Amino acid sequence: MWEDFKKFALKGNVLDLAIAVVIGAAFGKIVSSLVEDIIMPAVGILLGGFSVEDWTYTFQGAELRYGLFAQSVIDFFIVAFSIFLVIRIFTKLKRKKDVPAEAEPEVLDKKEELLLEIRDLLAKEKTGL
């Protein structure tokens, strides 16, 4: 059983997933800090100190803080948009890197050229019938 577990745990996909989770957690902290410490204060300044976090509704002694929920939804959209932009930038950079240089023209030897000419002649005769 231990050998089966080692085979499973050391497969490339599992290691790649573990690395992605760790990097994703670190990236999540960066994006959360961007939203909480930079974007939302800037939005608050632009809106004149307006904050939805304070929105509450009291019903029969129970306080419903729907402003916190609304703030969480706003934060989600900002985080999702930030991740979208980062992925888009990385994709563009990768495309530029992956563009192959112009392929050199293929050099055929005389036998290959002769075989291609024979093929073309046979195709021409076949369509001419």
Side-chain angles (χ1 to χ4, degrees):
M1 188 166 112
W2 178 249
E3 290 298 319
D4 290 340
F5 176 74
K6 279 187 354 185
K7 286 179 188 176
F8 169 77
L10 297 179
K11 279 185 180 177
N13 295 341
V14 174
L15 291 175
D16 291 343
L17 179 62
I19 291 168
V21 167
V22 171
I23 291 174
F27 184 70
K29 288 180 182 180
I30 291 170
V31 172
S32 294
S33 176
L34 172 71
V35 170
E36 293 171 6
D37 302 328
I38 296 173
I39 294 175
M40 289 313 292
V43 169
I45 290 169
L46 291 174
L47 296 176
F50 179 75
S51 175
V52 298
E53 289 183 3
D54 300 330
W55 292 353
T56 60
Y57 179 76
T58 305
F59 180 73
Q60 295 182 358
E63 184 179 37
L64 302 174
R65 293 178 270 174
Y66 64 93
L68 290 173
F69 175 74
Q71 186 63 48
S72 295
V73 171
I74 292 168
D75 290 349
F76 168 77
F77 283 114
I78 293 172
V79 168
F81 185 70
S82 300
I83 292 172
F84 167 75
L85 289 178
V86 169
I87 290 173
R88 188 170 179 184
I89 290 169
F90 281 131
T91 303
K92 284 186 177 184
L93 291 174
K94 187 173 186 234
R95 275 192 221 144
K96 287 181 182 177
K97 192 172 103 176
D98 289 345
V99 173
E102 286 187 31
E104 295 182 22
E106 191 175 322
V107 179
L108 301 175
D109 64 2
K110 291 189 179 215
K111 288 180 184 178
E112 290 174 333
E113 287 179 16
L114 184 61
L115 287 171
L116 289 174
E117 288 177 22
I118 292 170
R119 181 198 66 193
D120 294 341
L121 286 172
L122 287 172
K124 198 182 285 184
E125 283 181 16
K126 193 174 193 180
T127 57
L129 291 177

